[in-house]
């Protein structure tokens, strides 16, 4: 999954076209709502009201229903995400192997709780219910890459690495 | 259409085979508590108050969505069921902030009546005291989430009878809330026709007329059934 | 594509196989420890050693010992290398000519492998999951071709019934009965759904099957569709499994290209189309009515049953819903005959079960054992026991709907009925081992929090009851609870279990009930203590 900004032609935002194409592929059927929301979030990073309205019109779904669906599923985010994301798996195997210690360390270091983004928009902290990487517990996902057998020290180093990068002015 | 015979609380009754147990029970004049059921809209079986015991069925079944069948033997009022109903009502009271003394629906509230009828006089559970909003942006109506029990009667009546689908539910679990359009203030809703059907449908003081004060919020729920009968059967009967 | 062409592909594929295969695991677990890099290095090493004529490097699915990945196997001498690093690749190749391989080797004959019986996982770790030819060479799509050519739909249902296969999603409903019900319901449209919304935390069997052998699931679904008279299938996969999704997409594309799914399957009048639907992070969507609501594009809220999906499911049409592992069992049952399958396992639970072994145990990974194998054998022998000289305290099966089995019950055979008797369930196959460091009350709290967060909010007992139970468990852990609180907790368990609308709520109290039953002293010891054992509060 390449992020949207790498796929778009420089100077031209073709995301609207891609979203339209995704709705068209499903013949603008209302039952494609979740598939289209997936595509929209991939393209734009999060789902703002304008985007939800576009989809509501495209698929002929009432706005309140679309909002109800978008907020029902954990995957969809109505707020912008950070430039980096760090998701701690809280599945049973990871919990038994101390995932909560990893998460507490992260929360203490960044000053935000799971589900939030640091004020500078650098890091979003999240939890997952189970990544299915239980053989490697505890697992953490850094910007979409799964890493296994993590400890509080390893994750803090990783996040500090991002932050050092940011402060040197490299986004 | 055929007629079936079934036994409810040891009485032999007859019912049409397209009826639910709830229909049959109410036709027979037996009282069965419900909160999410509303004449004229579809049933969702969500409030679990009309659960009944059916002989030969392991699990309790909601009477509002279970069809009658020939020879069915149903119990609607055992001590076990009454206990569950009391607990469910208590869970509802503890979940949001229901203060009858200052509520517009005091004396006209289905949740309050339910508690009185079931003999719920105290709450065994810890109150959750959630932060809930009151939205009075609509020029005629208001919604107070402190009193909402998420029965979704407003959602169904708005979608099925009015056809506007202004209402829906956001989020999940105990954080779920009823919303209008894209979770905007009700007054800014484009789809709302201000028909007031949700106000008629609401069982508690959650959706109310602006300007009502304590205990003033009376509703005529038979109006909804009247509208639906007129539309579906072309019979303007009350 | 007809049967002769299918056999032709299989023949060509076998003929093209090199003398030696170097298999490198590219399932999720090993990829997260750089399996992709190892694979590439191995390919380069074969090239530079000039062995391309006799040696091929293949990316394969799960080799089961996930905790020691990336795993590499050489068919030259059967060596299995663990924790392989990129820089080890050349030494593995030179070992083919008698050199010394750098990475650590494990004995492929050790109990972890030797005690397993592979039906569902027969191709896992042996074939390339991204090439349909590899599947066909391993007798893939033979079963589908056979039923289309030789059997009437009712005979297929009959075979599945005779095999004694039961639903691998957890409840163990007889698969043949389910198929027969949908087959008998008259309708213009019917659907087949594969439930791949593996939501139990600590379970990764379905993910491994989809990543390692996706065609097996497609074949099982196609056979089911033929048996019940459906032409459209959906696979509902968790959004958390991007690799499984992409391999399924590849598999469907390849099968379509060869005329194995789509219109006129294998040149017969039978048509079968498959679409993938990607879930979006809601555990409740594993419940079949919620799953269908989600496929229809709505909030994943369950509805009361009856009507059951078999009678009125997706868009009101009769619908068959089975889990990944259930479908994965279908092709071998057809290929080897129902009697063969019924000969494995116990009287009431036939065949094998795949478990995802995790937690405080030496060998974490994927295990497939015959039904009736004891928990002790799985944990102590296959799993290698608890590391660091600690003892097993409990084994958790069935995820948030299951229970904790105490060490004293380890001799229980693993089958649907025996596990239910000791207050747990078979569940989908997650098996998590806990040692003496784990507080059972905290485990109950962990699962209750999970259910509370995942409750859809439609019915009151689950929506509000789980919150109250979670509060009481936290109160117990903080040391401020009394006997009255425990009584209240028990009362709530009974209420939520008996009055909730769907399986999520009905089974949410199970972890509490099972820990109260088997570890009452842990609850008792926390009562009225003000120095409370701090719950890990998140």
């Amino acid at each position: 999954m390449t992020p949207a900004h790498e796929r778009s032609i420089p100077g031209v935002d073709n995301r609207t076209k891609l979203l339209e194409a995704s709705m068209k592929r499903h013949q603008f059927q209302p039952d494609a709502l979740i598939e289209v929301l997936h595509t929209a979030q991939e393209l734009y990073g999060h789902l703002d009201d304008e985007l939800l309205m576009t989809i509501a019109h495209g698929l002929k779904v009432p706005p309140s229903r679309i909002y109800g669906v978008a907020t029902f599923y954990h995957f969809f985010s109505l707020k912008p995400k950070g430039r980096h994301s760090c998701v701690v798996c809280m599945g049973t195997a990871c919990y038994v192997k101390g995932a909560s210690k990893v998460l507490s360390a992260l929360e203490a270091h960044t000053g935000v709780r799971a589900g939030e983004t640091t004020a500078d928009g650098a890091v979003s902290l999240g939890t997952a219910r189970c990544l299915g990487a239980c053989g490697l517990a505890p697992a953490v996902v850094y910007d979409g890459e799964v890493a296994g057998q993590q400890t509080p020290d390893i994750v803090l180093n990783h996040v500090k690495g991002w932050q050092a990068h940011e402060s040197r002015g490299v986004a | 259409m055929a007629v079936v015979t079934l036994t409810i609380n040891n009485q032999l009754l007859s019912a049409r085979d397209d009826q639910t147990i709830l229909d049959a029970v109410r036709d027979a004049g037996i009282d069965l508590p419900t909160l999410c059921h509303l004449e004229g809209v579809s049933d969702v079986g969500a409030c679990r108050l009309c659960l009944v015991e059916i002989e030969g069925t392991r699990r309790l079944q909601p009477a509002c969505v279970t069809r009658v069948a020939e020879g069915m033997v149903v119990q609607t009022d055992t001590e076990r069921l009454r206990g569950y109903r009391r607990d469910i009502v208590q869970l509802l009271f503890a979940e949001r902030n229901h203060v009858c003394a200052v509520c517009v629906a005091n004396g006209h509230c289905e949740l309050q009546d339910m508690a009185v009828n079931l003999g719920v006089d105290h709450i065994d559970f810890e109150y959750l005291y959630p932060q809930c909003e009151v939205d009075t942006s609509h020029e005629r109506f208001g919604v107070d989430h402190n009193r909402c029990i998420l029965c979704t009667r407003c959602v169904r009546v708005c979608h099925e009878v009015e056809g506007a689908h202004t209402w829906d539910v956001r989020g999940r679990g105990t954080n779920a809330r009823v919303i209008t359009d894209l979770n905007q203030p009700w007054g800014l809703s484009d789809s709302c026709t201000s028909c007031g059907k949700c106000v008629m449908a609401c069982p508690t003081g959650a959706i109310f007329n602006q300007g009502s004060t304590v205990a003033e919020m009376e509703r005529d729920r038979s109006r909804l059934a009247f509208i639906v009968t007129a539309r579906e059967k072309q019979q303007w009967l009350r | 594509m007809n049967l002769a062409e299918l056999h032709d592909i299989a023949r060509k594929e076998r003929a093209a196989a090199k003398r030696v295969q170097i298999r490198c695991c590219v399932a999720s677990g090993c990829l997260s420890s750089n399996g992709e890099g190892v694979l590439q290095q191995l390919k380069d090493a074969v090239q530079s050693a000039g062995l391309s004529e006799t040696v091929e490097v293949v990316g394969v699915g799960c080799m089961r010992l996930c905790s020691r990945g990336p795993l590499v196997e050489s068919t030259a001498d059967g060596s299995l290398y663990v924790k392989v690093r990129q820089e080890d690749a050349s030494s593995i190749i030179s070992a083919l000519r008698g050199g010394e391989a750098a990475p650590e080797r494990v004995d492929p004959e050790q109990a972890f492998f030797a005690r397993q019986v592979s039906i569902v996982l027969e191709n896992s770790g042996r074939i390339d999951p991204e090439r349909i030819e590899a599947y066909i060479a391993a007798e893939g799509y033979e079963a589908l071709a056979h039923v289309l050519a030789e059997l009437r739909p009712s005979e297929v249902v009959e075979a599945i019934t005779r095999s004694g296969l039961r639903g691998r999603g957890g409840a163990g409903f007889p698969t043949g009965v389910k198929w027969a019900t949908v087959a008998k319901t008259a309708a213009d449209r019917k659907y087949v759904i594969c439930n791949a919304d593996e939501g139990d935390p600590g379970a990764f069997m379905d993910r491994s099957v989809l990543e390692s052998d996706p065609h097996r699931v497609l074949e099982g679904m196609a056979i089911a569709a033929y048996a019940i008279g459906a032409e459209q299938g959906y696979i509902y996969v968790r959004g958390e499994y991007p690799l499984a999704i992409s391999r399924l997409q590849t598999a469907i594309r390849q099968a379509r290209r060869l005329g194995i799914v789509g219109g006129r399957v294998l040149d017969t009048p039978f048509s079968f189309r498959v679409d993938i639907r990607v879930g979006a992070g809601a555990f409740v969507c594993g419940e079949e009515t919620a799953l269908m609501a989600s496929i229809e594009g709505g909030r994943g809220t369950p509805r009361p049953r009856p009507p059951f999906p078999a009678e009125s499911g997706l868009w009101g049409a009769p619908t068959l819903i089975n889990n990944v592992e259930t479908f994965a069992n279908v092709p071998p049952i057809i290929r080897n005959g129902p009697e063969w399958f019924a000969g494995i396992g116990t009287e009431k639970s036939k065949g094998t079960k795949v478990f995802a072994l995790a937690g405080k145990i030496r060998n974490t990974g994927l295990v497939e054992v015959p039904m009736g194998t004891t928990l002790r054998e799985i944990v102590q022998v296959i799993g290698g026991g608890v590391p660091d000289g600690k003892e097993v305290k409990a084994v958790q099966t069935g995820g948030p709907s299951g229970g904790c089995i105490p060490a004293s019950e380890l001799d229980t055979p693993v089958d649907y009925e025996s596990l239910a008797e000791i207050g747990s369930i078979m569940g989908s196959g997650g098996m998590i081992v806990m040692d003496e460091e784990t507080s059972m009350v905290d485990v109950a709290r962990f699962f209750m929090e999970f259910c509370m967060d995942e409750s859809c909010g439609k019915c009151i007992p689950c929506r509000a009851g789980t919150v109250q139970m979670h509060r009481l468990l936290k109160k117990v852990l903080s040391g401020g609870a009394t006997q009255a609180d425990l009584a209240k907790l028990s009362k709530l368990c009974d209420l939520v279990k008996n009055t909730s609308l769907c399986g999520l709520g009905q089974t949410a109290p199970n972890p509490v009930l099972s820990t109260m039953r088997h570890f009452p002293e842990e609850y008792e010891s926390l009562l009225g203590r003000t120095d409370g054992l701090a719950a890990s509060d998140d």
Side-chain angles (χ1 to χ4, degrees):
Chain A
M1 288 194 210
T2 35
H5 57 84
E6 287 174 27
R7 260 202 310 246
S8 54
I9 310 155
V12 183
D13 186 358
N14 63 351
R15 294 182 295 185
T16 336
K17 277 209 185 88
L18 288 168
L19 181 63
E20 182 74 14
S22 145
M23 293 199 267
K24 197 171 171 179
R25 198 170 45 247
H26 293 285
Q27 291 125 34
F28 298 97
Q29 287 295 315
D31 60 85
L33 177 54
I34 293 167
E35 294 293 308
V36 172
L37 287 174
H38 272 299
T39 308
Q41 176 144 312
E42 238 175 86
L43 292 171
Y44 291 86
H46 73 288
L47 307 166
D48 60 16
D49 284 3
E50 202 182 334
L51 196 54
L52 291 176
M53 278 320 267
T54 309
I55 298 169
H57 289 307
L59 300 181
K60 299 182 187 65
V61 175
S64 61
R65 181 164 173 230
I66 232 173
Y67 197 93
V69 170
T71 53
F72 183 86
Y73 297 98
H74 278 325
F75 255 51
F76 302 128
S77 165
L78 277 60
K79 289 203 288 280
K81 288 247 174 70
R83 287 182 289 281
H84 295 285
S85 73
C86 181
V87 179
V88 183
C89 181
M90 297 300 282
T92 321
C94 295
Y95 150 81
V96 169
K97 290 208 166 173
S100 44
K101 291 193 185 75
V102 171
L103 185 63
S104 319
L106 278 168
E107 288 181 335
H109 172 73
T110 55
V112 294
R113 292 188 67 96
E116 296 172 354
T117 303
T118 51
D120 58 0
V123 183
S124 286
L125 212 53
T127 53
R129 269 304 174 197
C130 179
L131 302 164
C134 316
L136 304 157
V140 175
V141 190
Y142 302 104
D143 290 344
E145 295 286 323
V146 182
Q149 293 157 343
Q150 299 292 292
T151 65
D153 292 347
I154 300 176
V155 285
L156 287 188
N157 281 338
H158 207 112
V159 171
K160 282 174 186 162
W162 285 338
Q163 289 167 323
H165 218 69
E166 293 254 336
S167 61
R168 287 204 300 273
V170 194
Chain B
M1 206 278 311
V3 172
V4 298
T5 324
L6 67 162
T7 312
I8 298 181
N9 301 349
N10 312 324
Q11 291 185 59
L12 208 56
L13 298 168
S14 57
R16 291 197 320 272
D17 67 354
D18 62 348
Q19 286 190 302
T20 62
I21 296 177
L22 182 65
D23 295 331
V25 163
R26 292 204 167 157
D27 281 354
I30 301 168
D31 192 40
L32 186 58
T34 58
L35 274 176
C36 66
H37 172 80
L38 179 68
E39 287 302 326
V41 297
S42 63
D43 277 304
V44 287
C47 75
R48 318 307 282 167
L49 286 158
C50 72
L51 288 178
V52 293
E53 293 171 12
I54 301 171
E55 219 164 85
T57 307
R58 202 171 44 91
R59 301 205 68 88
L60 303 172
Q61 295 294 338
C64 62
V65 291
T66 309
R67 284 279 160 87
V68 293
E70 181 61 39
M72 205 178 230
V73 178
V74 182
Q75 290 292 344
T76 71
D77 200 31
T78 60
E79 187 41 50
R80 178 184 176 212
L81 290 171
R82 280 198 298 271
Y84 285 156
R85 284 170 195 152
R86 279 194 294 270
D87 287 346
I88 288 171
V89 168
Q90 288 191 43
L91 282 174
L92 277 176
F93 275 107
E95 187 180 34
R96 300 252 174 126
N97 307 303
H98 297 274
V99 188
C100 299
V102 296
C103 180
V104 292
N106 191 359
H108 315 289
C109 168
E110 291 181 38
L111 179 65
Q112 188 183 41
D113 294 348
M114 185 82 58
V116 171
N117 293 340
L118 291 168
V120 175
D121 52 9
H122 68 287
I123 307 297
D124 269 332
F125 307 120
E126 232 182 306
Y127 283 95
L128 304 181
Y129 298 121
Q131 286 276 325
C132 296
E133 290 177 346
V134 181
D135 174 1
T136 52
S137 59
H138 190 284
E139 58 177 357
R140 288 175 51 204
F141 315 127
V143 55
D144 180 349
H145 294 281
N146 290 294
R147 307 166 182 157
C148 172
I149 57 168
L150 289 175
C151 69
T152 67
R153 275 157 49 161
C154 55
V155 178
R156 281 172 285 149
V157 80
C158 184
H159 172 72
E160 295 169 24
V161 184
E162 180 59 11
H165 204 118
T166 300
W167 291 101
D168 209 304
V169 181
R170 76 158 154 93
R172 63 159 93 141
T174 201
N175 302 317
R177 298 282 183 274
V178 288
I179 52 165
T180 46
D181 286 4
L182 284 185
N183 196 24
Q184 296 141 312
W186 192 357
L188 299 179
S189 162
D190 289 324
S191 61
C192 175
T193 60
S194 303
C195 70
K197 290 189 182 66
C198 53
V199 188
M200 285 183 237
C202 182
T204 67
I207 303 181
F208 54 90
N209 286 327
Q210 292 265 12
S212 343
T213 178
V214 174
E216 273 188 354
M217 200 51 224
E218 289 189 59
R219 294 179 175 85
D220 180 1
R221 283 191 227 287
S222 64
R223 268 191 64 77
L224 281 175
F226 167 76
I227 294 168
V228 173
T229 317
R231 174 175 298 177
E232 289 177 359
K233 298 187 180 155
Q234 309 295 299
Q235 291 173 329
W236 281 260
L237 301 169
R238 298 218 64 174
Chain C
M1 167 72 65
N2 55 34
L3 196 56
E5 288 169 321
L6 196 70
H7 288 157
D8 206 38
I9 291 179
R11 237 192 333 272
K12 277 196 186 125
E13 178 73 14
R14 288 191 202 111
K18 305 265 168 48
R19 199 172 51 81
V20 174
Q21 274 196 340
I22 305 290
R23 295 167 177 165
C24 174
C25 175
V26 288
S28 279
C30 289
L31 283 187
S32 65
S33 42
N34 194 26
E36 191 70 53
V38 173
L39 179 74
Q40 201 47 55
Q41 282 294 322
L42 284 167
K43 284 183 174 169
D44 295 349
V46 169
Q47 280 280 338
S48 54
L51 288 170
S52 304
E53 289 302 307
T54 51
V55 180
E56 59 183 337
V57 177
V58 191
V60 294
C62 183
M63 294 189 193
R64 310 188 190 190
L65 200 53
C66 306
S67 54
R68 314 284 306 278
L71 302 162
V72 173
E73 185 191 5
S74 160
T75 58
D77 57 353
S79 301
L80 181 62
Y81 302 101
V82 297
K83 297 206 166 189
V84 180
R85 293 166 317 180
Q86 253 176 284
E87 51 270 36
D88 297 333
S90 52
S91 75
I92 292 179
I93 303 302
S94 55
L96 295 171
R97 294 172 165 162
E100 192 53 50
E104 185 191 342
R105 245 184 256 208
V106 293
D107 175 13
E109 298 302 309
Q110 64 170 294
F112 178 80
F113 298 103
R115 298 289 184 101
Q116 297 199 34
V117 173
S118 296
I119 297 176
V120 171
L121 302 177
E122 59 185 351
N123 294 336
S124 283
R126 306 178 64 88
I127 67 164
D128 181 345
E130 298 191 344
R131 292 184 61 249
I132 191 168
E133 295 81 5
Y135 180 69
I136 292 171
E139 298 187 329
Y141 292 114
E142 283 281 331
L144 176 62
H146 171 72
V147 303
L148 293 181
E150 313 284 336
L151 301 180
R152 287 195 302 272
S154 59
E155 291 172 313
V156 181
V157 175
E158 168 73 11
I160 297 298
T161 307
R162 276 213 316 273
S163 75
L165 177 65
R166 294 170 66 175
R168 295 293 191 251
F173 191 81
T175 307
V177 175
K178 208 182 224 181
W179 287 26
T181 312
V182 189
K184 281 188 193 121
T185 312
D188 314 340
R189 285 177 313 147
K190 293 182 186 178
Y191 296 101
V192 172
I193 297 176
C194 171
N195 183 347
D197 188 71
E198 180 173 55
D200 286 7
F204 50 94
M205 310 74 51
D206 295 354
R207 174 179 64 75
S208 294
V209 171
L210 294 171
E211 287 176 1
S212 310
D213 202 7
H215 286 284
R216 160 180 304 267
V217 179
L218 288 184
E219 185 174 9
M221 284 178 77
I223 292 168
Y226 173 75
I228 64 158
E231 294 200 334
Q232 170 73 50
Y234 288 98
I235 308 178
Y236 188 90
V237 198
R238 283 184 87 198
E240 288 88 341
Y241 290 175
L243 186 65
I245 293 164
S246 88
R247 289 201 176 148
L248 265 175
Q249 283 166 333
T250 306
I252 292 172
R253 210 173 35 245
Q254 293 171 343
R256 206 177 284 142
R257 200 187 62 229
L258 294 184
I260 294 172
V261 302
R264 299 190 47 78
V265 172
L266 295 169
D267 289 347
T268 64
F270 168 68
S271 296
F272 182 59
R273 286 175 182 76
V274 190
D275 283 307
I276 298 177
R277 286 282 186 264
V278 179
F283 172 69
V284 71
C285 287
E287 198 278 344
E288 53 184 21
T289 59
L291 185 148
M292 293 188 299
S294 190
I295 290 182
E296 291 171 7
R299 291 164 57 83
T301 53
R303 58 157 181 77
R305 297 177 307 178
F308 286 92
E311 173 191 345
S312 167
L314 203 56
W315 293 294
T319 305
L320 171 76
I321 305 182
N322 278 136
N323 138 295
V324 170
E325 198 184 327
T326 312
F327 282 127
N329 271 300
V330 170
I333 288 174
I334 299 291
R335 249 193 346 253
N336 305 322
E339 286 70 26
W340 159 82
F341 190 83
I344 303 166
T346 67
E347 187 201 348
K348 285 184 174 169
S349 304
K350 301 297 185 192
T352 57
K353 179 76 194 84
V354 182
F355 289 101
L357 206 50
K360 299 284 181 77
I361 187 150
R362 262 194 201 88
N363 305 328
T364 56
L366 216 54
V367 185
E368 184 173 8
V369 291
M371 293 273 190
T373 308
T374 62
L375 281 166
R376 187 178 304 282
E377 170 135 1
I378 297 175
V379 172
Q380 303 290 30
V381 181
I382 298 176
V386 181
D388 312 325
K390 294 203 168 62
E391 290 293 317
V392 179
K393 179 171 171 180
V395 177
Q396 209 281 338
T397 65
S401 322
C404 295
I405 300 160
S408 58
E409 300 276 2
L410 277 183
D411 290 315
T412 308
V414 170
D415 62 58
Y416 293 99
E417 280 73 23
S418 305
L419 288 178
E421 257 164 52
I422 50 173
S424 187
I425 57 165
M426 170 77 78
S428 58
M431 193 177 276
I432 291 145
V433 181
M434 301 171 183
D435 65 10
E436 59 245 51
E437 280 180 19
T438 316
S439 151
M440 289 296 131
V441 184
D442 197 40
V443 169
R445 181 207 56 82
F446 168 82
F447 281 117
M448 191 51 70
E449 185 165 304
F450 179 90
C451 291
M452 177 177 86
D453 286 346
E454 295 296 337
S455 168
C456 79
K458 181 172 176 173
C459 77
I460 301 159
C462 172
R463 181 181 81 219
T466 51
V467 178
Q468 294 289 352
M469 287 192 278
H470 183 247
R471 286 196 160 212
L472 285 167
L473 287 164
K474 274 173 68 168
K475 196 171 171 184
V476 173
L477 284 162
S478 72
T482 59
Q483 280 290 1
D485 287 315
L486 288 191
K488 215 180 281 184
L489 187 59
S490 300
K491 186 176 157 180
L492 273 167
C493 284
D494 177 62
L495 172 80
V496 175
K497 194 180 164 123
N498 287 301
T499 62
S500 292
L501 192 157
C502 85
L504 191 157
Q506 289 161 10
T507 58
N510 288 357
V512 182
L513 290 167
S514 83
T515 49
M516 276 182 147
R517 170 177 159 185
H518 294 299
F519 302 94
E521 69 287 353
E522 290 209 23
Y523 283 85
E524 301 286 335
S525 70
L526 286 166
L527 292 186
R529 273 173 39 170
T530 40
D531 61 340
L533 189 81
S536 41
D537 200 358
D538 32 61

